Structure formats: C-alpha cells, structure tokens
Amino acid sequence: MNRRRHGRVSAAITLVCAFAVLSAPGAGLLSQAYAAPASPAAPGAPGVPGPTSSPSAVAPPPVELPPGVSQSDIAPSGSAAPSLDDVRKEIEALYRKAASATDAYNLADERAKKQSAEVVGLTEDIVKGQVRLDALKKQAGAAARAQYRGGGLPPEAELMLTGDPQLFLDGVGRARQGQKATRDLIAELSRTQEDLKTYTADAGTRWQELEANRAKKEKAKKEITKQIAAAEKLESSLAEKDRTRLAQLEKDAAATAQSAWLGSGALQEINRTASAQGRKAIEFATAQIGKPYVWGAEGPGSYDCSGLTLKAWAAGGRPIPRTSQEQWRLLPRVDVKDMRPGDLIIYFQDASHVGMYIGNGKIVHSPRPGRHVTVTGAGSMRILGVVRPDA
C-alpha cells in the first residue's frame, strides 16, 4: 500500500517537473526545432550584416527640399531620393522637349504666314478675274445687241447685199477683224472662267493647309508651355542653396563635355577664317549677347536659338530657314574639321538646337528659357553636324 502511494507521488512529481521545463523561457528552442524554417533576414536588418560597400561608391548628397514641397513632387512614390545631378538631367530633358516643340511651332508659324499670303494673293486674283469676266460679258453683250440692231444678219450676209464694190471690200476687212475680235473675246472669256475656277480651288486648298498649320501651332504652343512649366516647377522646388549648386553642376557638365571634345583633337584642323558674309553674321550675333531667350522670338529684344541664327545671317545678306531642323535639312553640310567661323553647329539627334561658331572652339547661342544669349564651348553639347549658309 505504501509502495503504491510512493509510486503515485513520484509520477506526480515527474509530471510537474515536465510542465515546468516546457513552460520555461528556453523551451521555445524545442518548439523551434520542429517548426517550419523561418525566412532568412534581409541584409541590413538589425543584427544581420549587409554586403560590404566599396569605399569609392559615395552616394551624392540628397536634394534638400524647401518647406511645403514633398518628395513625391519630384520623384515617384517609393523611389530613392534623386541626386541633384538627376534633377539637372531631368530639367535638361524637359527643356529639350520644349525646344523640339518650339521648332514645330516655328515651322508651322512660317508655313502659316506663307499660306496666308498665298490665300490673300489668290483672293486678289479671284477679284481681278471676276472684274475681267464681267467686262468681257458686257463686251459680248454689246456685240450681240449690235448684231440685233442690224436686223440679225451676220456681217457676211450684209456684205453680199451691198451694191458698192468699194464698200464690199472695206466691209470684208472689217468683217475679218470683227470675226477675229469675236473669237479672241470668246477665248479670253473661257480662259478667265477657267482661271477663276483654278484660283477658287487653290484658295480652298491653301485655306485648308493654313487651318491645319494653325492647329499645329496651337498644339506645339501647348506642348512648349507644358514642358517649360514642368521644368520651372522642378527648379523652383529646390532650396536656394540647391539652385546655386544646380547652376554650378550645369557649368561643370558643359566644361567636362567641352574638354572631352577638345581632347579628341577636334580643333587641330579647324583654322579657317570667316567669309565676308560670315563676319557680318558673327558681328550681329555677338551684339545680341545678354538678351533673353524667348521661344518663338526673332528679336530685336529676345531670341530663341534659331531666331538668333536666322537674323544673324539675314544681317550677313543670306536668308536661311527659320528652324534649326530646317537649317539642318536644307543648308549645305560640311565636316566639323572643315568648319569656319560663321558656320552653324546643329545639336542633338533631333536637330533641336543651333549655335553659331565664332572661332577658338566657341559658339554664340541662345540656350533655353531662363537663360540669355551667351558664348560657350562648341563641344559643350552633343554635336549632330555643321551647315554653311554661304557655301
């Protein structure tokens, strides 16, 4: 009996000890041994070492935003904060898009002006033709009335009825002249009517083209305004010290590109002098230094890039196309190594910018909104090619 009681007590003590062990803080180790494997900790988590960074890989300082401007204003949600150089490139891209739209606007504007003049000219031709047609109809009516007053007999019949030989001979001559005049009158009347039809049709076609180019102008204007506004918003969202750093970054990027261009030996063979017309064009262009860039402007107080080269070469006595893209498309091209002062350097793959080479590896140009006509390195932007207005 005592042995049975002792066995029950031993079993109870054993059970109590087991529960004590399982409920202790270290008992989680036992459950972990049979649980599903845990997901590996991500690098950088507390207690988990991340990959070793290269000592040279130093991230650029983040852009400091002014009060009231959030990170989402300049970068998508969830993305890393852009560096100031990223912002510079984005602003540059926006102004490039605005420049392309400006070329489209200027081309549409130039064509609209030409078509408007053609419509005016055709309208004047239509008015003149109508006046001439009315006069010819009156002349034909007068001839018909004269014949009616003569009894309705044609001149040939009247001659046959005359008894005077001299009158007959004189009448033959007059009849021939009258016949010729009638034929000429009818022919001119027909031509005038056909001309009026042609003028009317041409005027209708030109009017449709004019309206199409006006629509293109408005579309391009909206695109220009949109891109410039986006660039200005992005730039104005920066703190004052970041805007100062941004301006320096722009200068540094231009200087780096110019140094690389000069280092390529691009100027080794460029030693030609400007032509007489080229010197006049350069004189005009450099006299505009300090005037602001305004898209679509051709002076005298402001210019866009192609407006400056257009007026400069007009001063040199050589008219050229209005836009940088048309200047690239239509003017004679020369190799960079054969470049001389006065030549035009076309920039970027879409030919959206142009500057005038003035020698010593420099150009004068009107850069973009917010900037002024200035002198900079010819290799500070990506060169597409060179054209020569007076080739």
Side-chain angles (χ1 to χ4, degrees), residues 157-198:
E158 293 179 8
L159 285 172
M160 294 301 296
L161 296 176
T162 183
D164 189 333
Q166 186 59 47
L167 286 176
F168 177 80
L169 293 174
D170 292 342
V172 168
R174 286 196 299 273
R176 287 175 177 171
Q177 291 175 356
Q179 289 172 348
K180 183 177 183 305
T182 300
R183 288 195 301 270
D184 291 346
L185 177 61
I186 292 172
E188 187 172 358
L189 189 61
S190 298
R191 281 197 307 271
T192 302
Q193 288 175 325
E194 288 302 316
D195 287 345
L196 275 176
K197 290 180 182 178
T198 301

Side-chain angles (χ1 to χ4, degrees), residues 217-236:
K217 273 181 62 178
E218 287 306 309
K219 181 179 178 181
K221 183 177 180 179
K222 289 178 181 177
E223 182 66 14
I224 295 166
T225 304
K226 172 186 172 183
Q227 299 299 339
I228 292 177
E232 289 177 344
K233 178 182 177 183
L234 182 53
E235 192 165 1
S236 65

Side-chain angles (χ1 to χ4, degrees), residues 7 12 17 30-31 38 41 66 77 86 102 119 133 187 203 211 264 267 295 297 313 334-335 349 384 387:
C17 290
L30 183 62
S31 62
S77 177
D86 291 334
T102 299
V119 168
L133 183 61
E211 288 300 302
S264 70
L267 282 183
W295 64 268
W313 268 102
V334 296
D335 290 336
Q349 194 60 38
L384 177 61
V387 295

